[in-house]
Amino acid sequence: MVNIVIFGKPGAGKGTQAEFLKSKYNLIHISTGDLFRYHIINKTSLGLKVTSILENGDLVPDKLTIEILENEVKKHKKTSGFIFDGFPRTINQATALENKIKQLNVSIKAVLNLDIADQEILNRLAGRGREDDKPELIKNRLKVYRNQTEPLLGFYNERSLLETINGDQSETDVSNAIFNVLKAEVV
């Protein structure tokens, strides 16, 4: 089973690259952001809980995030692996994922960090048109990313899983860089 974590700043291209990986390696793409938006749009109990949190550009508490992710993973009993997009975002979430994967007797093959300059993030997100892409929210999301998610670089580097990809390139160049990194991991 191939399990890949893809992370980076908001707007770094995680979703785009995850879709390429999904197609190439026949993986299940789980995006916590997409899951949260689904629950918000459908006004589920979870959606009602996370609406105000996300409107402020903050992270959903670990317990809720882990619960929704675990429910999604359980839906896919027969799969060749997962791409975790937007999860983990904190050390607690990374530890929970690591423990859950150990229980399943599988492992994470690679953690892909799409590294991109803040100004490029602001440029990209300004044209995306999502409700959470207002300039003041983007700046808060970048601050939250630096404070809560960037520590994962060290966490995964210590486990020799971290691969940093230059996200300031074209989509195709980023994809090629990712595929080159993964050749040794998934073959």
Side-chain angles (χ1 to χ4, degrees), residues 119-132:
Q119 187 56 51
E120 181 61 23
I121 293 295
L122 292 168
N123 295 342
R124 284 183 185 186
L125 295 183
R128 201 161 69 169
R130 276 191 356 210
E131 189 63 30
D132 59 342

Side-chain angles (χ1 to χ4, degrees), residues 26-44:
N26 194 30
L27 303 174
I28 301 295
H29 174 207
I30 298 179
S31 164
T32 52
D34 289 348
L35 291 172
F36 291 142
R37 284 185 287 279
Y38 168 84
H39 285 278
I40 290 168
I41 289 167
N42 291 288
K43 297 183 180 358
T44 67

Side-chain angles (χ1 to χ4, degrees), residues 167-181:
D168 283 326
Q169 308 174 76
S170 71
E171 280 180 15
T172 302
D173 289 342
V174 171
S175 294
N176 288 336
I178 289 171
F179 294 148
N180 284 335
V181 163

Side-chain angles (χ1 to χ4, degrees), residues 7-56:
F7 76 100
K9 296 173 187 170
K14 297 179 296 290
T16 300
Q17 295 304 322
E19 285 301 314
F20 292 141
L21 289 167
K22 175 183 167 180
S23 296
K24 184 167 181 79
Y25 298 112
N26 194 30
L27 303 174
I28 301 295
H29 174 207
I30 298 179
S31 164
T32 52
D34 289 348
L35 291 172
F36 291 142
R37 284 185 287 279
Y38 168 84
H39 285 278
I40 290 168
I41 289 167
N42 291 288
K43 297 183 180 358
T44 67
S45 60
L46 177 65
L48 297 173
K49 289 177 189 176
V50 301
T51 297
S52 63
I53 296 166
L54 294 177
E55 284 175 349
N56 292 325

Side-chain angles (χ1 to χ4, degrees), residues 22-163:
K22 175 183 167 180
S23 296
K24 184 167 181 79
Y25 298 112
N26 194 30
L27 303 174
I28 301 295
H29 174 207
I30 298 179
S31 164
T32 52
D34 289 348
L35 291 172
F36 291 142
R37 284 185 287 279
Y38 168 84
H39 285 278
I40 290 168
I41 289 167
N42 291 288
K43 297 183 180 358
T44 67
S45 60
L46 177 65
L48 297 173
K49 289 177 189 176
V50 301
T51 297
S52 63
I53 296 166
L54 294 177
E55 284 175 349
N56 292 325
D58 295 325
L59 290 181
V60 174
D62 290 346
K63 185 178 178 186
L64 284 176
T65 304
I66 291 165
E67 179 185 327
I68 191 172
L69 183 85
E70 199 169 337
N71 288 338
E72 192 64 23
V73 168
K74 286 178 183 176
K75 290 179 185 177
H76 305 282
K77 302 257 188 250
K78 294 182 180 178
T79 179
S80 49
F82 295 96
I83 302 165
F84 297 102
D85 167 4
F87 184 90
R89 290 193 180 185
T90 66
I91 296 292
N92 286 341
Q93 290 177 7
T95 303
L97 177 62
E98 193 172 68
N99 291 336
K100 182 56 65 183
I101 284 181
K102 280 181 188 171
Q103 288 174 8
L104 300 171
N105 205 26
V106 294
S107 63
I108 295 171
K109 297 295 184 192
V111 176
L112 306 172
N113 173 36
L114 302 182
D115 189 30
I116 186 167
D118 284 3
Q119 187 56 51
E120 181 61 23
I121 293 295
L122 292 168
N123 295 342
R124 284 183 185 186
L125 295 183
R128 201 161 69 169
R130 276 191 356 210
E131 189 63 30
D132 59 342
D133 287 340
K134 295 176 182 160
E136 64 277 4
L137 289 179
I138 294 169
K139 288 179 183 171
N140 187 56
R141 288 167 64 201
L142 287 170
K143 179 180 165 193
V144 168
Y145 174 85
R146 275 190 283 285
N147 292 336
Q148 296 185 29
T149 305
E150 270 187 1
L152 289 171
L153 295 173
F155 180 89
Y156 284 118
N157 195 42
E158 287 173 8
R159 287 154 176 78
S160 301
L161 293 170
L162 184 68
E163 297 289 347

